[in-house]
């Protein structure tokens, strides 16, 4: 981070990630209920990091003559940290795989519904003797 930006007055003293940071501290061996000062300082560090990264991504988008920030702008902003960039690429790859799997599942679900001959989810009348219905 190149420069420290002043936190906006409306966010001063507000904790954005309190529950997550407490869980993270506990996971890394801290006591179950950490000191409030520790959580506050970590929250400020995380919030400042996110703000700075967003500013760098916005600057990258501006250089590219775009008003909207894209994922590539964030990748460019964190290009100096190989571990973080690798993790981001890994998560983006998993997201893409999940979207493709959902799409295939939805397509398979649609084909299954068409095979039965019932095109909708509504309750249709069944003829006597069809599967799943007992005859009197």
């Amino acid at each position: 981070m190149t420069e420290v930006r002043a936190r906006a007055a409306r966010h001063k003293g507000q904790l954005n990630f309190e529950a997550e940071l407490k869980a993270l501290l506990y996971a890394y061996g801290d006591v179950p209920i950490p000191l409030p000062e520790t959580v506050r300082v970590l929250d400020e560090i995380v919030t400042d990091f996110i703000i700075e990264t967003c500013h760098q991504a916005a600057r990258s988008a501006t250089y590219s003559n775009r008003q909207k920030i894209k994922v590539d702008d964030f990748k460019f902003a964190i290009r100096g940290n190989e571990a973080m960039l690798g993790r981001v690429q890994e998560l983006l790859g998993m997201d893409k795989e999940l979207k493709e799997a959902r799409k295939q599942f939805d397509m398979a679900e649609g084909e299954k519904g068409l095979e039965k001959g019932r095109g909708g989810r509504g309750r249709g009348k069944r003829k006597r003797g069809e599967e799943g219905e007992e005859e009197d």
Side-chain angles (χ1 to χ4, degrees):
M1 292 188 257
T2 56
E3 63 188 55
V4 178
R5 297 183 191 273
R7 292 183 109 187
R10 63 182 173 180
H11 297 295
K12 197 76 168 173
Q14 178 184 347
L15 297 178
N16 298 313
F17 306 104
E18 182 177 11
E20 292 88 353
L21 289 173
K22 285 181 178 180
L24 182 75
L25 286 169
Y26 184 65
Y28 278 96
D30 199 4
V31 294
I33 301 173
L35 292 173
E37 295 83 18
T38 305
V39 176
R40 184 184 53 77
V41 169
L42 275 176
D43 188 82
E44 284 184 20
I45 291 170
V46 169
T47 303
D48 290 342
F49 172 77
I50 292 172
I51 290 171
E52 277 301 311
T53 305
C54 290
H55 282 290
Q56 289 175 359
R59 199 174 312 127
S60 174
T62 303
Y63 288 148
S64 301
N65 292 325
R66 282 185 278 109
Q67 300 244 334
K68 293 184 178 180
I69 300 173
K70 294 185 175 182
V71 174
D72 291 335
D73 297 322
F74 283 101
K75 287 181 182 178
F76 186 79
I78 61 171
R79 71 190 181 280
N81 189 337
E82 292 180 16
M84 191 184 316
L85 182 61
R87 180 68 174 148
V88 166
Q89 289 175 337
E90 180 184 347
L91 289 172
L92 288 172
M94 280 195 291
D95 183 51
K96 187 176 179 180
E97 288 177 19
L98 285 172
K99 284 181 182 177
E100 289 175 7
R102 278 191 209 109
K103 186 177 177 182
Q104 289 181 356
F105 180 76
D106 289 341
M107 288 174 55
E109 187 75 20
E111 290 174 3
K112 184 177 178 184
L114 291 176
E115 287 175 3
K116 289 184 177 179
R118 289 178 249 156
R121 291 185 172 175
R123 294 179 147 203
K125 291 186 178 179
R126 286 187 169 171
K127 295 179 186 174
R128 274 199 139 162
E130 275 191 51
E131 59 187 72
E133 190 174 316
E134 296 179 13
E135 291 186 30
D136 293 336

